[in-house]
């Protein structure tokens, strides 16, 4: 029993060190998230994230979403789990060509809003069962003036 207090001290020190490391990584992650997206006046600046994609924060029917900017997608596509959370009503089946091949999904209508004041009301979206991330397609991006230089994507909101 005399070793118990010493063991408890060692476990406590390791637990605290683990907590400090965990919180440090979370702080770095939050900082990276904040610097990936900037909005000043009529300009939105997106910086390529560590995963190689541009992320644009927004909402689908009021539900917070981190969209991946996908200039290769004709239409905005949502994971089925997000569509259900946002209360979307699926209607009609669709076949969609993806990087992984042709998949079956459904159509739905959604109110999509993006940080920076971009809104698309009753946008026709594709709902895919195995999609991991919401994809922001050319049905929205095609309305905007985009310019890419290196790892920075600039969107001129004044040109809408």
């Amino acid at each position: 029993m005399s070793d118990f207090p010493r063991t408890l001290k060692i476990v406590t020190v390791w637990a605290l060190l683990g907590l400090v490391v965990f919180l440090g990584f979370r702080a770095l992650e939050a900082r990276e998230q904040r610097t990936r997206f900037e909005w000043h006046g009529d300009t939105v600046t997106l910086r390529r994230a560590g995963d190689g994609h541009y992320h644009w924060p927004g909402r689908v029917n009021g539900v917070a979403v981190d969209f991946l900017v996908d200039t290769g997608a004709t239409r905005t596509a949502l994971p089925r789990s997000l569509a259900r959370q946002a209360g979307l009503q699926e209607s009609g089946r669709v076949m969609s060509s993806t990087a992984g091949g042709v998949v079956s999904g459904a159509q739905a209508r959604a109110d999509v809003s993006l940080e920076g004041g971009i809104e698309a009301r009753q946008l026709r979206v594709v709902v895919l069962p195995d999609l991991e991330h919401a994809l922001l397609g050319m049905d929205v991006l095609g309305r905007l003036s985009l310019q890419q230089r290196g790892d920075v994507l600039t969107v001129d909101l004044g040109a809408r």
Side-chain angles (χ1 to χ4, degrees), residues 1 6 20 32 80 84 104 117 126 128 133 149 157:
M1 286 301 276
R6 182 175 183 271
V20 167
E32 179 186 313
R80 179 166 282 143
R84 286 184 177 152
S104 176
V126 176
L128 301 175
H133 302 284
R149 285 200 179 126
L157 301 176

Side-chain angles (χ1 to χ4, degrees), residues 6-7 29 32 35 46 48-50 62-63 67 77 98 113 129 136 140:
R6 182 175 183 271
T7 303
E29 190 177 73
E32 179 186 313
T35 59
L46 305 170
R48 191 183 312 266
V63 176
F67 285 100
T98 69
S113 60
L136 187 62
V140 174

Side-chain angles (χ1 to χ4, degrees), residues 75 80 91-97 102-108 124-129:
R75 290 178 35 201
R80 179 166 282 143
S91 64
R93 307 299 305 158
V94 293
M95 298 302 287
S96 221
S97 292
V102 177
V103 296
S104 176
Q107 295 182 75
R124 194 168 56 156
V125 297
V126 176
V127 177
L128 301 175

Side-chain angles (χ1 to χ4, degrees), residues 13-94:
V13 167
W14 279 108
L16 288 174
L17 284 173
L19 179 63
V20 167
V21 169
F22 172 76
L23 292 175
F25 277 113
R26 293 294 294 189
L28 285 173
E29 190 177 73
R31 189 175 126 235
E32 179 186 313
Q33 176 94 12
R34 284 191 307 275
T35 59
R36 281 193 326 222
F37 174 87
E38 293 178 14
W39 171 30
H40 301 287
D42 282 346
T43 304
V44 167
T45 304
L46 305 170
R47 286 181 178 68
R48 191 183 312 266
D51 64 3
H53 297 282
Y54 295 105
H55 295 256
W56 197 328
R59 296 189 169 278
V60 172
N61 284 9
V63 176
V65 178
D66 183 36
F67 285 100
L68 295 184
V69 174
D70 189 351
T71 58
T74 304
R75 290 178 35 201
T76 296
L78 305 174
R80 179 166 282 143
S81 58
L82 171 62
R84 286 184 177 152
Q85 185 181 1
L88 301 186
Q89 299 297 315
E90 295 182 10
S91 64
R93 307 299 305 158
V94 293

Side-chain angles (χ1 to χ4, degrees), residues 144-160:
L144 306 172
S145 175
L146 307 173
Q147 182 176 37
Q148 181 182 2
R149 285 200 179 126
D151 287 340
V152 177
L153 181 64
T154 305
V155 183
D156 180 3
L157 301 176
R160 294 188 265 171

Side-chain angles (χ1 to χ4, degrees), residues 59-62 109-113 117-124 140 143:
R59 296 189 169 278
V60 172
N61 284 9
R109 294 237 178 228
D111 291 336
V112 173
S113 60
I118 305 297
E119 292 188 10
R121 299 281 176 214
Q122 292 299 299
L123 181 70
R124 194 168 56 156
V140 174
R143 304 173 189 181

